[in-house]
Amino acid sequence: MGKLLIIGNGFDLDLGWSTRYSDFARSPEWKSLKNFSKLWRRLDDAAQREKWLDLEMELFGYAVDAAGRYSFVTEDDIPRDRETYLKLCGALSDYLVRATAEVINSDSVAARILSGLLTEGKLDCIYTFNYTSLGSVISSLKVSKFSTPIVQVHGSIADRSLILGIHDTTDVDHRYNFMIKSYSEHFKSNRLTVDLAKADEIVFLGLSMGAVDNLYFEHFFHYLQNEDIELTSKKVIRIVTYDMNSHRQILDNINTMNGSRAADLYQRTDFGFIHTSKGESDLNFIDYMKHIAPKVENLPISQSGGDNRALDSKNNEVLAV
C-alpha cells in the first residue's frame, strides 16, 4: 500500500471553521438544549467551567460515575438523559452545518497540504475523524481527477450520521450504552488498522492522538515496536502540527499508548514532525511541500507567512474520535 492521510479537527480549524466543542458550547444550538436532566447539568457546568471543553470525555465521566458505588442516577433519570443525549447529537450536527457554511481558507496549511497530496495522485485512502464533509472541502479546492476513497470514521453531517459518544468499556453503567459509539446504527467497519500496518507513508494532519484516539492507534504503535525492523524501517510517518508545544504533547500521547517508548519510533521508522507555525520560514514544511507536489507551481508556501494556529494542540479539540 502507498500513502495514507489521517485527518483530525486541527485540519478543520486551519481551514477557518469554528469546530471546537467549546465553540459549539457558546452557540445558539447549545443554548437550545437547556433542560433539567442531570446529564445536561453536568455538560453545561463543564462548558462554563472549562476553556477547552472535551465533550466526549464529559460523557464518559458521567456514564462511569453513574455506574459507581455512590451513583447519583435514578431510574427516572435514564430516559431524560437519553433524550438529552439524542438532542445533543442533533444540535451538534445543526451547529456544524452552520459553522462549515463559511468559505474555507484555501491558502491555509491544511488546504495546501491536502491539495498537494491529491494533486500528486498517490493517496490510497483518507480517513477523517471529523464530522464535517471532506468531499465538500475537496470540491472547494477544485482538485481535478480526484478518486481517493474517503472514510468518515465517525459519520458525517452530510447525511446526519454523526456518531458522538464513548468507546466500548465495561466501566460505564450499562443503562448508558446508548452513548457507546459502536452501538450506534451508523457505526461501520473500516480497514484503518490494516491500512496503517500496510501503508508505506502515513501523514497525520491536525490529529492530537489524545486519550479518545488511542483505541485506533495503540495497536499500530505496538506493531511498530514489535514488528521486524527490516519492515518498519521502510515506513515513513509525518505528523503535521503547529509548534514544539503541540509536538511534545503528541509525543506524550504516543508514549502513553506505547509504554514510554516514542523515541524508538525514530530508530525503527522514518519518523518526523512538520511544524506549521513559521509558515514559509519553516524549512521542514517547505521541503515537505516540495516532496508531495514537486511539479505543482501554485502550491509553495503562501507569501502571507501563514500564522496557522489552528494546528496547535490546545486548539485541536477532537470532535470525532
Side-chain angles (χ1 to χ4, degrees), residues 46-149:
Q48 302 303 319
R49 182 179 66 251
E50 303 292 342
K51 182 177 181 180
W52 307 107
L53 175 66
D54 190 331
L55 188 54
E56 290 184 322
M57 288 303 293
E58 289 298 331
L59 290 173
F60 174 75
Y62 184 89
V64 169
D65 291 346
R69 180 178 179 183
Y70 302 105
S71 175
F72 50 82
V73 172
T74 67
E75 288 301 322
D76 291 338
D77 290 322
I78 309 299
R80 287 195 287 266
D81 285 346
R82 180 182 176 85
E83 181 181 6
T84 295
Y85 167 77
L86 294 175
K87 288 182 176 179
L88 179 70
C89 293
L92 177 57
S93 184
D94 291 342
Y95 170 73
L96 290 175
V97 167
R98 182 168 62 85
T100 57
E102 300 293 329
V103 176
I104 68 168
N105 177 9
S106 60
D107 194 41
S108 65
V109 167
R112 292 199 298 273
I113 288 180
L114 179 61
S115 295
L117 289 169
L118 293 174
T119 303
E120 182 192 23
K122 295 181 180 179
L123 269 180
D124 286 81
C125 190
I126 301 174
Y127 286 90
T128 174
F129 281 76
N130 301 339
Y131 299 131
T132 49
S133 173
L134 186 59
S136 66
V137 173
I138 294 170
S139 297
S140 299
L141 296 175
K142 297 181 172 61
V143 176
S144 61
K145 299 181 180 179
F146 167 70
S147 60
T148 304

